[in-house]
Amino acid sequence: MTNQEESELRAQLSRLKQEHRDLDAAIAALEAMSGFDRLQVQRLKKRKLSIKDRIIEIEDQLFPDIIA
């Protein structure tokens, strides 16, 4: 992996982690409201999970688990 590719992955990882935190806050805010839309919360949670999966993929590329 080149330095540029690694840099791009790190930038993408940073953006995804921020989006993950933002979704967490949005979900908490929606759930705190009375009469919140369960379908909307479910969609946000699904999006959050897909972002988490992508974060794990990128971390695996950046920090391979090498057993020597």
Side-chain angles (χ1 to χ4, degrees):
M1 176 181 314
T2 67
N3 285 341
Q4 183 178 356
E5 290 172 336
E6 183 176 340
S7 176
E8 289 171 5
L9 281 176
R10 287 184 188 277
Q12 185 179 8
L13 181 62
S14 177
R15 284 190 305 272
L16 287 171
K17 284 184 175 183
Q18 181 62 49
E19 185 176 353
H20 189 266
R21 286 189 297 270
D22 292 345
L23 281 171
D24 199 31
I27 290 167
L30 279 174
E31 290 177 333
M33 294 173 32
S34 61
F36 65 90
D37 184 0
R38 292 186 190 275
L39 183 59
Q40 184 179 10
V41 170
Q42 185 179 15
R43 287 179 180 152
L44 290 174
K45 286 182 176 182
K46 187 174 181 179
R47 173 77 179 135
K48 184 179 162 189
L49 184 59
S50 70
I51 289 171
K52 183 66 175 176
D53 289 342
R54 184 64 184 133
I55 288 171
I56 291 170
E57 288 174 13
I58 293 172
E59 286 176 341
D60 285 346
Q61 288 178 346
L62 290 173
F63 315 109
D65 187 20
I66 300 173
I67 299 174

